[in-house]
């Protein structure tokens, strides 16, 4: 157990869906008596009122691991994190935590609203078992990182949600906790602070060897920060291990393909049908399907095709266009632009267009395509494939750019 930070064995958590109000008034209790008596007499008292948020979850996390906890809404991620943080107790099972734990699970968690930001820093440190002298050494860096210096002596109840997140993360990341639990709460902060927070977590993991469990719906954030991941679905672990493998499982099984409607059912296509594109997806630099793209990533557009009318199609030219979500054309590319027309095309297969450095800024986009065979239009579908791009390090400088002026980046070399 020396190298194990967290060990969970058969963790389960059950909720009673009938208990919709934890703070009933006397009037509510009296008015509910006839219904409870009726339910008991008719045998409906315990019918469909139990819900297992977690179901026999077991795992081990080694010291220094950074683990992403992913899954759809309602999969059990936040429930598991609250059990690890000892905010709630499991219905069955046990969990062992080796080390001091700091957590940021909800806005304002761990803060006393009537106390000032300064007082809450010392309160959180005391909860973690730190001496006042130890907190004093960290205090300046905590305040500088949180960027709330002007409001340090203002009661926390007057802070915005973003300010509370800034201070909570700064306290949790700077104080001496061996295990850091972070929920999607960082999404409340602005983009600049989110970037700084991710960089801080990377430094904590690589330089300080602390253990981090990170819940997020942002797959690029999970990929950049975590080496391992756990995928939850309906309260059960369905995949765990290397982060790219787990994210790939999530995309394949729980994320829609992004094609609406499906290519096989779309009624907007035109062409002779000599060759048909029957599926489309995007792959990352490792060749895995993905829906999560960052500016500057190496990606490939993959078009799966069949030739339903002939064994081989001749002189095939495939082109695609990308537009903004509002329909503004951004770029167009055909095989013929680079003299890569396929002279003889097999009965079925895939066309793959590799983009070493994806130049679109963050936003939603649509992709359409057109295929010709011997100069005759064979298949044409407009804007049926939708995908999304997130901010990334396009120029490979270590800085994630948040370009909003234009949807397209341009690369080049400056000389003076």
């Amino acid at each position: 157990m020396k190298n194990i930070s967290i060990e969970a064995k058969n963790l389960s958590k059950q909720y009673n869906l009938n208990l919709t109000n934890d703070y009933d008034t006397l009037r509510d209790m009296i008015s509910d008596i006839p219904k409870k008596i009726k339910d008991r007499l008719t045998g409906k008292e315990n019918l469909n009122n139990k819900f297992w948020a977690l179901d026999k979850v077991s795992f081990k996390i080694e010291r220094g691991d950074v683990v992403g906890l992913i899954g759809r809404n309602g999969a059990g991620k936040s429930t598991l994190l609250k059990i690890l943080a000892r905010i709630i107790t499991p219905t069955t099972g046990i969990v062992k935590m080796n080390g001091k734990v700091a957590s940021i699970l909800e806005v304002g968690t761990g803060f006393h609203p009537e106390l000032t930001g300064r007082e809450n820093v010392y309160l959180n440190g005391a909860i973690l078992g730190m001496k006042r002298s130890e907190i004093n050494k960290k205090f300046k860096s905590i305040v500088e990182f949180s960027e709330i210096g002007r409001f340090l002596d203002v009661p926390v109840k007057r802070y915005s949600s973003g300010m509370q997140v800034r201070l909570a993360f700064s306290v949790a990341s700077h104080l001496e906790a061996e295990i850091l639990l972070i929920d999607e709460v960082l999404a409340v902060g602005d983009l600049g602070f989110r970037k700084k927070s991710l960089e801080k977590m990377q430094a904590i993991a690589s330089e300080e060897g602390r253990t981090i469990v990170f819940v997020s719906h942002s797959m690029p954030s999970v990929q950049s920060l975590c080496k391992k991941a756990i995928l939850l679905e309906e309260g059960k672990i369905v995949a765990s291990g290397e982060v790219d493998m787990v994210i790939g499982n999530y995309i394949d099984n729980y994320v829609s393909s992004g094609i609406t409607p499906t290519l096989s059912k779309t009624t907007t296509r035109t062409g002779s049908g000599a060759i048909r594109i029957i599926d489309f997806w995007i792959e990352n630099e490792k060749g895995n399907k993905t829906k999560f793209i960052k500016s500057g990533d190496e990606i490939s557009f993959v078009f799966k095709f069949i030739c339903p009318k002939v064994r081989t199609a001749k002189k095939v030219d495939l082109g695609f266009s990308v537009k903004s979500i509002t329909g503004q054309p951004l770029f167009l590319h055909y095989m013929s632009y680079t003299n890569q027309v396929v002279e003889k095309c097999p009965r079925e297969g895939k066309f793959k267009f590799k983009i070493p450095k994806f130049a679109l800024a963050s936003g939603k986009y649509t992709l359409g395509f057109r295929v010709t065979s011997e100069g005759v239009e064979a298949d044409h579908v407009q804007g049926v494939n939708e995908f999304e791009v997130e901010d990334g390090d396009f120029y490979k400088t270590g800085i994630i750019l948040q370009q909003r002026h234009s949807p397209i980046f341009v690369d080049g070399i400056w000389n003076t």
Side-chain angles (χ1 to χ4, degrees):
M1 285 292 294
K2 289 183 178 179
N3 293 324
I4 303 297
S5 272
I6 304 172
E7 182 178 14
K9 293 182 179 179
N10 294 318
L11 282 185
S12 296
K13 181 63 179 178
Q14 187 186 67
Y15 290 105
N16 189 339
L17 299 181
N18 284 349
L19 299 179
T20 56
N21 191 349
D22 293 332
Y23 305 99
D24 285 335
T25 63
L26 179 60
R27 181 192 301 171
D28 293 331
M29 293 174 65
I30 294 172
S31 63
D32 280 349
I33 289 175
K35 180 179 182 300
K36 291 180 179 178
I37 294 173
K38 180 181 177 182
D39 288 345
R40 181 170 296 182
L41 292 174
T42 57
K44 295 181 179 179
E45 185 180 25
N46 297 313
L47 184 62
N48 296 326
N49 62 348
K50 304 295 184 182
F51 169 69
W52 289 96
L54 290 177
D55 187 7
K56 297 178 181 178
V57 168
S58 299
F59 61 86
K60 292 180 182 180
I61 296 177
E62 295 183 0
R63 193 177 305 279
D65 275 352
V66 183
V67 179
L69 201 55
I70 65 175
R72 295 186 293 182
N73 289 333
K77 305 183 298 297
S78 294
T79 298
L80 177 55
L81 225 58
K82 287 177 181 178
I83 290 176
L84 297 181
R86 294 172 182 153
I87 293 174
I88 60 176
T89 56
T91 304
T92 62
I94 59 171
V95 59
K96 297 179 181 179
M97 309 283 284
N98 293 323
K100 295 177 182 178
V101 180
S103 59
I104 314 173
L105 307 186
E106 294 174 357
V107 175
T109 298
F111 284 163
H112 192 298
E114 299 295 335
L115 299 181
T116 66
R118 183 190 303 273
E119 292 167 333
N120 270 293
V121 171
Y122 283 94
L123 175 63
N124 272 258
I127 290 171
L128 288 173
M130 295 182 66
K131 296 179 180 178
R132 190 175 183 85
S133 58
E134 294 175 309
I135 302 172
N136 286 337
K137 292 179 182 178
K138 302 274 188 178
F139 188 80
K140 184 178 180 181
S141 59
I142 290 172
V143 175
E144 288 178 351
F145 190 91
S146 67
E147 301 174 9
I148 61 158
R150 286 182 57 198
F151 308 96
L152 190 60
D153 293 306
V154 174
V156 165
K157 67 181 180 180
R158 304 190 191 280
Y159 286 13
S160 67
S161 58
M163 291 168 65
Q164 291 184 40
V165 166
R166 285 173 179 269
L167 185 59
F169 180 82
S170 187
V171 169
S173 60
H174 282 83
L175 297 184
E176 303 294 333
E178 288 93 350
I179 301 171
L180 192 57
L181 309 175
I182 300 178
D183 205 341
E184 189 72 28
V185 68
L186 283 181
V188 176
D190 59 78
L191 289 173
F193 187 77
R194 283 160 57 189
K195 175 180 178 292
K196 186 166 75 168
S197 299
L198 287 171
E199 291 172 348
K200 178 64 176 176
M201 286 191 283
Q202 287 173 329
I204 287 172
S206 61
E207 299 169 14
E208 302 177 30
R210 288 193 270 174
T211 304
I212 299 175
V213 180
F214 178 53
V215 171
S216 179
H217 288 99
S218 170
M219 294 305 106
S221 296
V222 173
Q223 281 181 308
S224 63
L225 178 67
C226 307
K227 292 183 179 179
K228 297 178 181 178
I230 295 172
L231 172 59
L232 286 173
E233 177 65 18
E234 296 183 348
K236 297 180 180 180
I237 293 178
V238 294
S240 64
E242 192 265 333
V243 65
D244 286 335
M245 180 273 291
V246 176
I247 289 177
N249 187 304
Y250 176 51
I251 293 168
D252 288 343
N253 295 293
Y254 304 106
V255 180
S256 64
S257 66
I259 303 173
T260 310
T262 59
L263 287 176
S264 61
K265 295 180 180 179
T266 182
T267 58
T268 59
R269 70 195 321 154
T270 57
S272 67
I275 183 169
R276 283 277 194 244
I277 303 298
I278 60 171
D279 201 1
F280 167 82
W281 62 85
I282 299 172
E283 293 180 354
N284 60 22
E285 61 180 354
K286 296 181 179 180
N288 299 320
K289 290 183 180 180
T290 184
K291 260 183 66 71
F292 307 100
I293 310 165
K294 292 181 290 185
S295 303
D297 277 357
E298 177 185 305
I299 65 165
S300 296
F301 288 154
V302 183
F303 302 85
K304 185 177 181 180
F305 69 87
I306 60 171
C307 301
K309 295 184 177 181
V310 292
R311 289 192 175 184
T312 59
K314 298 179 180 179
K315 294 184 179 179
V316 172
D317 190 10
L318 169 63
F320 64 87
S321 63
V322 173
K323 298 181 180 180
S324 69
I325 202 69
T326 59
Q328 174 66 39
L330 299 176
F331 60 81
L332 172 72
H333 188 85
Y334 272 89
M335 291 176 170
S336 54
Y337 288 1
T338 50
N339 295 321
Q340 296 183 80
V341 170
V342 180
E343 291 297 327
K344 282 189 176 183
C345 193
R347 183 71 182 266
E348 60 182 67
K350 294 178 290 186
F351 297 122
K352 182 181 290 190
F353 181 76
K354 180 180 176 181
I355 305 174
K357 195 174 181 181
F358 199 57
L360 289 182
S362 66
K364 288 186 176 181
Y365 302 92
T366 61
L367 180 142
F369 56 83
R370 181 173 179 266
V371 191
T372 63
S373 177
E374 298 183 281
V376 177
E377 183 179 276
D379 197 15
H380 184 198
V381 178
Q382 297 188 39
V384 73
N385 305 294
E386 184 178 303
F387 62 92
E388 188 168 356
V389 180
E390 297 193 10
D391 292 312
D393 180 12
F394 178 80
Y395 294 105
K396 308 305 178 187
T397 60
I399 300 172
I400 296 177
L401 291 176
Q402 300 161 18
Q403 178 167 284
R404 301 294 180 263
H405 176 268
S406 166
I408 298 177
F409 286 95
V410 61
D411 204 0
I413 299 173
W414 287 96
N415 285 306
T416 303

